[in-house]
């Protein structure tokens, strides 16, 4: 499991060390880890550190200090190191160390400043140490202009290796928000803990591979602000049948999906629930869709019942269920009922209305993409539950903020789907997953995800401690968020199985089986 913290959390854990006078030691440790990561990149790129051209973009604070100390270490290993001071001052000890090791300093505001972009573009490696956890907003003035000039001058697919110090400057360390121009990093080396912004969209796309350097303050860190499940967590947590299991104890998934206009959504959703290992799958829908479901997935029991007439552990409602009054009535019954449910696509509007009325039942997991979440937020604002609602672009700029706002306003888990998917629980738990291939962005892959999620939700619905192996944070109501993150992770892993390429949703469902078998 990757655990990430906010800047404030790391600073709080750091305070006792600073009070004991250990600040310089912490910085030396951080800088050494940064220098090691830079040396590794240089060896990969050109075989050795000696003779490499290194530019350190150094801001005025401790982030700049880390960069300068790391630059000093690289200079001692024979690199030609130039620090570009982006502000009116530099960390004094860091600057002295760099100069003592033979490094040089150029002031961006001085006469040589005009040549700085050329020096950056000609470098083998650039350390981005302008802004860290103390940043307010993004790069400004001359520093922003320099980075923009470098971005404009970067040749396609080439240019210097960029190593970001703690966080790429301009990416919000806590939010992942991108403020102004940012130099995309190949590697981000963070200290004490990964900062939450490295695992949040849209900033994550600018962070490259993440490396964390331990500083010794880790035991003093509080519960993380954000978590991410890794493949070994998925293997450990995915619900598996025991010797005494039977189809009902493993979890029955009820699917309210499809309509005469969109029968395919029901086929993909039910197929995925079967392939993800549900004990049993029931489908409720119109006669033609039911016939097709039974033909493509004979394992599914299809009927014209109302949800109040069948017993399931979890529902999936919404995929393709539009323009059909009988389906809408079934969806309303599920939303106001006590059984957990994945609420997707056409059912999201009804969920927002139910939440505004205080009628949304417990254990609901909403699965919008950015446009759908903007719509849900607009409904919640119109119904007086939220004060403001952003456009789709606003959701994309701050996905975690708006997923969390929707979770708090509805009392449901919100799964905001994207290249990095954000899972926000109403109690504040936050997980993100970035396992999927870009080929996942295809019609029907959301129907498949909903089916997979329904299978996990059904398995944990009656077991508050289903994921307790992950820690006490995963217990109780939070298990629904863990179930959602597990489904997103497996769905993403399935999309990458066998290499990158097209993955039609029906093929994806089969690959879910393969992922689960491989992780058994
Ligand atoms: N986590 C740890 O235990 C350790 C962290 N280290 C490193 O320290 C930074 C945080 O350092 P800090 O000095 O608090 O903050 P920054 O270096 O990020 O930036 C603060 C300076 O930058 C100026 N500032 C703020 N916003 C902007 C902006 N948008 N544009 C330009 N300049 C900005 C601000 O100056 P002002 O005069 O404007 O207030 C500050 O001077 C952390 O990220 C780690 O890299 C330790 O080295 C090891 C322990
Ligand atoms: K930085």
């Amino acid at each position: 499991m990757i655990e990430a913290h906010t800047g404030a959390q790391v600073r709080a854990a750091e305070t006792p060390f600073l009070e004991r006078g250990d600040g310089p030691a912490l910085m030396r440790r951080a800088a050494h880890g940064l220098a090691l990561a830079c040396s590794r990149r240089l060896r990969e790129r050109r075989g050795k550190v000696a003779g490499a051209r290194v530019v350190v973009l150094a801001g005025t604070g401790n982030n700049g200090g880390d960069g300068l100390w790391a630059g000093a270490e690289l200079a001692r290993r024979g690199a030609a190191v130039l620090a570009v001071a982006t502000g009116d001052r530099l960390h004094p000890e860091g600057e002295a160390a760099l100069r003592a090791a033979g490094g040089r300093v150029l002031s961006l505001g001085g006469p040589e400043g005009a040549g700085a972009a050329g020096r950056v573009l000609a470098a083998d490696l650039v350390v981005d140490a302008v802004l860290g956890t103390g940043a307010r907003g993004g790069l400004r003035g001359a520093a922003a202009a320099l980075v923009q000039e470098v971005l404009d001058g970067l040749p396609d697919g080439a240019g210097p290796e960029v190593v970001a110090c703690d966080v790429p400057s301009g990416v919000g360390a806590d939010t992942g928000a991108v403020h102004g121009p940012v130099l995309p990093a190949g590697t981000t080396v963070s200290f004490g803990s990964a900062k939450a912004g490295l695992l949040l969209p849209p900033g994550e796309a600018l962070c490259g591979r993440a490396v964390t350097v331990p500083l010794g303050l880790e035991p003093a860190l509080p519960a993380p602000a954000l978590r991410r499940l890794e493949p070994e967590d998925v293997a450990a947590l995915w619900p598996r049948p025991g010797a005494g299991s039977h189809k009902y104890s493993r979890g029955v998934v009820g699917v309210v999906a499809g309509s005469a206009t969109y029968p395919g959504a029901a086929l993909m959703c039910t197929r995925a629930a079967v392939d993800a290992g549900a004990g049993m799958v029931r489908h409720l829908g119109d006669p033609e869709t039911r016939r097709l479901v039974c033909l493509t997935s004979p394992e599914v029991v299809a009927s014209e019942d109302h949800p109040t007439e069948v017993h399931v552990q979890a529902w999936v409602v919404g995929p393709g269920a539009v323009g059909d009054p009988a389906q809408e009535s079934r969806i309303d019954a599920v939303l106001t009922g006590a059984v957990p449910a994945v609420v997707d696509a056409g059912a999201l509007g009804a969920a927002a209305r139910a939440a505004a009325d205080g009628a949304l039942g417990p254990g609901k997991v909403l699965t919008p993409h950015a446009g759908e979440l903007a719509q849900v937020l607009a409904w919640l604002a119109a119904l007086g539950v939220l004060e403001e609602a952003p456009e789709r672009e606003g959701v994309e700029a701050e996905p975690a903020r708006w997923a969390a706002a929707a979770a708090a306003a509805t009392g449901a888990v919100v799964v905001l789907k994207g290249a990095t998917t954000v899972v926000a629980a109403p109690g504040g738990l936050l997980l993100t997953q970035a396992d999927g291939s870009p080929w996942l962005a295809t019609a029907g892959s959301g129907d498949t995800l909903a089916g997979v999620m329904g299978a996990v939700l059904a398995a944990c619905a009656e077991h508050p401690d289903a994921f307790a192996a992950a820690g006490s944070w995963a217990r109780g109501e939070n298990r629904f968020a863990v179930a959602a993150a597990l489904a997103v992770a497996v769905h993403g892993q399935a999309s990458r199985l066998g290499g990158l390429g097209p993955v039609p949703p029906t093929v994806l469902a089969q690959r879910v089986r393969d992922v689960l078998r491989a992780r058994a």
Side-chain angles (χ1 to χ4, degrees):
M1 182 123 31
I2 304 176
E3 299 189 333
H5 291 81
T6 64
Q9 287 179 316
V10 175
R11 263 197 302 280
E14 195 188 8
T15 303
F17 292 82
L18 300 184
E19 285 170 354
R20 281 205 307 266
D22 288 343
L26 283 185
M27 184 176 280
R28 297 294 295 274
R29 221 172 285 160
H32 178 60
L34 178 61
L36 283 181
C38 293
S39 303
R40 228 170 272 137
R41 295 291 86 79
L42 283 171
R43 278 197 297 269
E44 279 166 17
R45 185 185 171 102
R46 57 190 297 285
K48 56 187 172 122
V49 176
R53 285 164 301 181
V54 174
V55 172
V56 179
L57 300 177
T60 54
N62 289 330
N63 194 255
D66 292 341
L68 292 166
W69 278 107
E73 193 167 326
L74 294 171
R76 282 197 297 276
R77 293 185 195 182
V81 182
L82 173 72
V84 174
T86 58
D88 57 1
R89 61 192 188 279
L90 284 173
H91 187 275
E93 292 83 8
E95 180 182 0
L98 178 67
R99 288 188 188 279
R104 287 172 308 120
V105 177
L106 174 160
S107 172
L108 193 54
E112 292 177 286
R119 309 293 284 270
V120 170
L121 287 165
D124 295 302
L125 182 137
V126 176
V127 179
D128 169 6
V130 182
L131 297 171
T133 55
R136 283 171 284 106
L139 295 170
R140 295 192 293 246
L146 167 66
V147 167
Q148 191 56 57
E149 198 181 336
V150 170
L151 292 175
D152 293 342
L154 273 179
D156 269 351
E161 185 71 35
V162 177
V163 178
C165 175
D166 215 17
V167 64
S169 303
V171 171
D174 297 350
T175 62
V178 176
H179 309 281
V182 175
L183 206 50
T187 307
T188 296
V189 182
S190 47
F191 309 121
S193 173
K195 304 305 169 298
L198 307 189
L199 301 176
L200 280 168
E204 174 163 24
L206 297 165
C207 293
R209 68 187 114 171
V211 175
T212 302
V213 174
L215 292 182
L217 49 73
E218 293 71 22
L221 285 169
L226 182 154
R227 295 173 170 87
R228 175 169 295 179
L229 303 178
E230 295 193 277
E232 55 270 27
D233 303 307
V234 174
L237 297 176
W238 190 270
R240 294 182 191 285
S245 301
H246 53 78
K247 63 189 177 194
Y248 298 114
S249 67
R250 290 184 52 208
V252 180
V253 183
V255 177
V256 179
S259 55
T261 323
Y262 300 109
L267 310 193
M268 289 183 276
C269 185
T270 48
R271 185 70 246 158
V274 170
D275 281 336
M280 177 179 171
V281 179
R282 285 182 172 278
H283 171 256
L284 311 183
D286 65 278
E288 178 59 8
T289 304
R290 294 204 311 269
R291 198 181 70 80
L292 292 171
V293 164
C294 290
L295 280 174
T296 50
S297 296
E299 302 91 338
V300 177
V301 177
S303 71
E304 61 180 353
D305 290 315
H306 199 257
T308 47
E309 296 169 311
V310 294
H311 184 58
V312 303
Q313 274 66 49
W315 291 101
V316 179
V317 295
V322 285
D324 177 342
Q327 287 296 63
E328 284 163 15
S329 160
R330 291 182 181 109
I331 289 169
D332 285 340
V334 168
L335 292 175
T336 53
V339 176
V342 178
V343 181
D344 192 40
L348 289 166
R353 281 193 300 279
D357 291 343
L360 189 65
K364 303 299 182 278
V365 180
L366 316 186
T367 56
H369 52 62
E372 288 170 331
L373 182 58
Q375 185 63 66
V376 166
L377 292 163
W379 280 319
L380 290 171
L383 295 165
V385 183
L386 268 185
E387 279 184 11
E388 49 166 345
E391 299 287 325
R392 181 196 176 109
E393 294 72 31
V395 171
E396 286 169 343
E398 295 177 285
R401 171 184 170 192
W402 291 112
T410 58
V413 171
V414 173
V415 179
L416 173 52
K417 297 181 286 193
T420 297
T421 292
V422 177
V423 179
L429 180 71
L430 192 64
L431 296 118
T432 67
Q433 297 297 139
D435 316 83
S437 132
W439 293 91
L440 257 188
T442 172
S445 92
D447 306 324
T448 302
L449 174 63
V452 175
M453 206 176 282
V456 199
L457 207 55
C460 75
E462 294 172 4
H463 307 284
D465 286 347
F467 306 124
S472 59
W473 62 271
R475 294 196 149 118
E477 296 296 298
N478 276 351
R479 73 187 181 286
F480 301 125
V482 178
L486 279 169
V488 172
V490 163
H491 186 253
Q493 289 170 22
S495 72
R496 288 184 177 272
L497 212 62
L500 286 183
V503 269
T506 46
V507 173
L508 191 64
Q510 291 168 26
R511 292 198 183 159
V512 164
R513 272 188 317 209
D514 297 333
V515 167
L516 296 177
R517 204 174 292 117
R519 305 246 176 272

